[in-house]
Amino acid sequence: MPTQAVRTGVTLNYEISGSGDPLLLVMGTSGSLPLWGELVARLAERHRVIAFDNRGLGGSDRGEGPITVASLAEDAAALLEALDIPRADTLGWSLGSAVVQELALARPDLVASAGLYATWARADGFQRSVLTALRLPYVHRDMESALAAAGIAFSPQALDDPNLPQLLEALLPGFPQNEAQMQVTVEQWDADLAHDTLDRLDAITAPTLVVVGEQDLLTPPWQAKAVADAIPGAEYQLVTGPGSSHCMHLERPADVADRVDAFLAAVPAR
């Protein structure tokens, strides 16, 4: 896949699919490109999709300096500039949604619209407990336990599906592959826990979509609703029923793609 040096010491691995208005996808904690599953192909039917690996994961360099939500947003901005894309729609999942928040705040010129999928603005006690538990296996470099704990990101229906092992096996390339990437993931969990935009979200001017599943235990619906309430004019969509998990884009990819497509079709010319 192509790589692009976007900042001093940082080269990001990316792929571009489809044609049309540019749509930047920003990945969640511990993930790289394969963890988008079918979503990229579905979105690429109507958009020019730019998906990339966050620094230190997949095919992207770690670079220097701390990994924070703000520094990851700077990477995303630098990638758009390096690709000569002056303005893009965005869709961030989990950590990626926090990155999109910071990008929309710091570089509103680059953000035509903000898609926030499985999002939050400030971790509450429940969420901190969940994120801290998920962080621990990476601290101890215990990938088997990390993958077992990742089951909380799926729905009860998926976890009881006899085909789950095959699904997870196909996703393994999207998870950390070595000790260095596990350390980067620890830093990403720390960035999740430190993320706090709640008192600044009212400054986001981009048209915003907030999507969350009712079964999401990592970024619960009440957290996503708080984000939508804080952003002027944001559209909030709560997805219900089986498969409405934190990994809803893997369990119900057509549903997520259709919601993003419908929202972007209604956004004024950009």
Side-chain angles (χ1 to χ4, degrees), residues 83 124 133 151 175 192 197 212 240 244 260 262:
L83 296 175
D124 61 9
F175 284 92
D192 287 327
T197 52
V212 67
T240 62
S244 58
V260 172

Side-chain angles (χ1 to χ4, degrees), residues 117 211-216 219-221 237-240 244-245 248:
Y117 158 43
V211 178
V212 67
E214 69 171 345
Q215 296 175 320
D216 192 331
T219 54
Q237 295 189 18
L238 175 65
V239 184
T240 62
S244 58
S245 66
M248 185 164 55

Side-chain angles (χ1 to χ4, degrees), residues 149-236:
I152 197 175
F154 290 87
S155 70
Q157 295 78 26
L159 293 176
D160 283 336
D161 189 328
N163 295 317
L164 181 66
Q166 293 95 313
L167 169 65
L168 292 179
E169 184 175 358
L171 295 175
L172 284 178
F175 284 92
Q177 300 296 303
N178 52 50
E179 189 164 320
Q181 292 189 351
M182 294 188 80
Q183 175 56 33
V184 166
T185 302
V186 173
E187 296 173 71
Q188 287 191 341
W189 288 120
D190 291 340
D192 287 327
L193 289 162
H195 173 59
D196 189 349
T197 52
L198 190 58
D199 296 333
R200 297 181 283 134
L201 290 179
D202 60 355
I204 291 180
T205 56
T208 300
L209 171 68
V210 176
V211 178
V212 67
E214 69 171 345
Q215 296 175 320
D216 192 331
L217 296 177
L218 275 75
T219 54
W222 65 83
Q223 288 285 66
K225 183 63 163 59
V227 171
D229 288 346
I231 298 175
E235 180 178 334
Y236 175 71

Side-chain angles (χ1 to χ4, degrees), residues 10-78:
V10 179
T11 299
L12 297 182
N13 180 54
Y14 71 95
E15 63 178 19
I16 296 179
S17 311
S19 60
D21 290 331
L23 171 60
L24 181 72
L25 301 190
V26 190
M27 175 51 67
T29 305
S30 82
S32 57
L33 289 172
L35 213 58
W36 286 119
E38 299 176 16
L39 188 63
V40 169
R42 290 180 179 274
L43 291 172
E45 294 175 7
R46 295 178 178 82
H47 313 279
R48 181 187 177 204
V49 177
I50 305 101
F52 68 100
D53 293 327
N54 284 313
R55 61 163 61 205
L57 291 178
S60 294
D61 294 339
R62 165 63 177 83
E64 302 295 331
I67 292 177
T68 65
V69 174
S71 73
L72 295 175
E74 291 170 1
D75 289 347

